[in-house]
Amino acid sequence: MENSTEEYKIQSFDLDTQVLLKTALKDPSSVNLEKVSNIIVDQSMKDQVFSKEAGRICYTIVQAEAKQNNGNFRRNLLNRLQQEFKNREETRKRSVQEWVCYVTFICNIFDYLKVNNMPMVALVHPVYDCLTRLAQPDALMNEAEVDCLVLQLHRIGEQLEKMNSQRMDELFYLLRDGFLLQEGLTSMARLLLLEILEFRAGGWLLSSTAHKYYYSEV
């Protein structure tokens, strides 16, 4: 099942790129890993479905690379993520869709790529910066950004809080204020914010009653 899903995601590329990525998944040292990381990031910025799955593909390449005592792919990937991070405001101005894809991708990399079973420390502040940007008043007016924020917090919120609880508190002050004070939020954005506030208050869990309430509403 895992393989067929990965195959399917790779099949959206042209044939040469598919061959390159399939080789990278099995024998990373035999291909240009900077090119591979750029292909994965470029596609992730365009395609939200791929940006959700790309973490798994990157994880597989990093695992294969570790067997060859190499870290080139991880280094290239982090460099490119850093580059896009610096340009995040320009990206958001140009295309909210691309920006949301970038946040989804960096959160997936945070989720999948571990060092000694711990998330990469280098990604903690950039991920918090992205999520904090999504919690600003102008972003809360955009359902796509609220949806992205809530999805990422469901996925990595608990791990992220363990890495830096103060920043999570600050993020949730913004979400609480947005929910209580901001005018003009859509009813869906308000519902999503209330759900994530309750989710964290419950120790990153929803009671079955709350689950029924929110998901019958959604």
Side-chain angles (χ1 to χ4, degrees):
M1 184 68 191
E2 290 272 309
N3 283 344
S4 65
T5 311
E6 260 168 23
E7 292 277 328
Y8 170 71
K9 300 303 172 203
I10 286 174
Q11 277 169 10
S12 59
F13 293 102
D14 64 62
L15 209 54
D16 287 350
T17 307
Q18 283 185 48
V19 170
L20 179 69
L21 291 174
K22 282 178 184 173
T23 309
L25 286 162
K26 295 187 178 73
D27 182 14
S29 64
S30 67
V31 296
N32 178 340
L33 291 167
E34 186 177 0
K35 187 177 179 186
V36 171
S37 60
N38 284 334
I39 287 167
I40 291 170
V41 175
D42 289 342
Q43 187 68 13
S44 295
M45 301 274 292
K46 286 187 292 205
D47 177 351
Q48 205 168 1
V49 175
F50 185 79
S51 71
K52 289 175 185 171
E53 295 297 327
R56 205 152 49 97
I57 292 170
C58 292
Y59 169 79
T60 306
I61 297 172
V62 166
Q63 292 296 101
E65 196 178 43
K67 289 176 189 160
Q68 300 173 335
N69 293 320
N70 206 333
N72 285 338
F73 175 73
R74 186 198 298 250
R75 194 164 50 252
N76 286 320
L77 182 66
L78 290 177
N79 285 343
R80 181 64 200 280
L81 278 173
Q82 189 179 21
Q83 229 176 309
E84 296 299 337
F85 178 74
K86 284 179 184 159
N87 299 332
R88 64 194 182 281
E89 272 306 318
E90 289 84 348
T91 301
R92 185 178 178 272
K93 282 187 192 118
R94 184 177 66 244
S95 162
V96 167
Q97 172 69 17
E98 256 184 69
W99 155 239
V100 161
C101 284
Y102 173 72
V103 177
T104 304
F105 181 59
I106 195 172
C107 290
N108 269 280
I109 296 300
F110 175 85
D111 190 27
Y112 274 101
L113 297 196
K114 302 281 196 269
V115 178
N116 301 324
N117 288 327
M118 290 290 287
M120 283 194 277
V121 175
L123 290 178
V124 173
H125 284 300
V127 167
Y128 265 123
D129 288 346
C130 288
L131 297 181
T132 301
R133 182 65 189 86
L134 289 172
Q136 299 305 313
D138 59 338
L140 292 179
M141 300 302 284
N142 186 321
E143 256 177 39
E145 290 182 278
V146 177
D147 194 47
C148 175
L149 173 63
V150 169
L151 279 172
Q152 304 322 314
L153 285 168
H154 268 276
R155 180 166 194 164
I156 63 167
E158 191 173 6
Q159 294 179 64
L160 201 52
E161 183 164 40
K162 284 175 186 160
M163 301 300 286
N164 188 323
S165 59
Q166 186 188 336
R167 287 209 67 179
M168 190 61 78
D169 287 340
E170 289 163 4
L171 175 61
F172 270 78
Y173 295 147
L174 286 173
L175 296 180
R176 185 198 59 198
D177 288 353
F179 175 73
L180 293 172
L181 306 172
Q182 190 163 331
E183 292 177 7
L185 290 182
T186 66
S187 54
M188 176 57 89
R190 204 170 281 287
L191 188 76
L192 288 168
L193 287 175
L194 182 59
E195 190 266 358
I196 201 65
L197 289 165
E198 196 167 330
F199 186 63
R200 185 193 180 211
W204 301 103
L205 288 167
L206 270 188
S207 69
S208 57
T209 317
H211 192 277
K212 274 182 199 145
Y213 170 73
Y214 289 110
Y215 290 96
S216 66
E217 289 291 320
V218 168

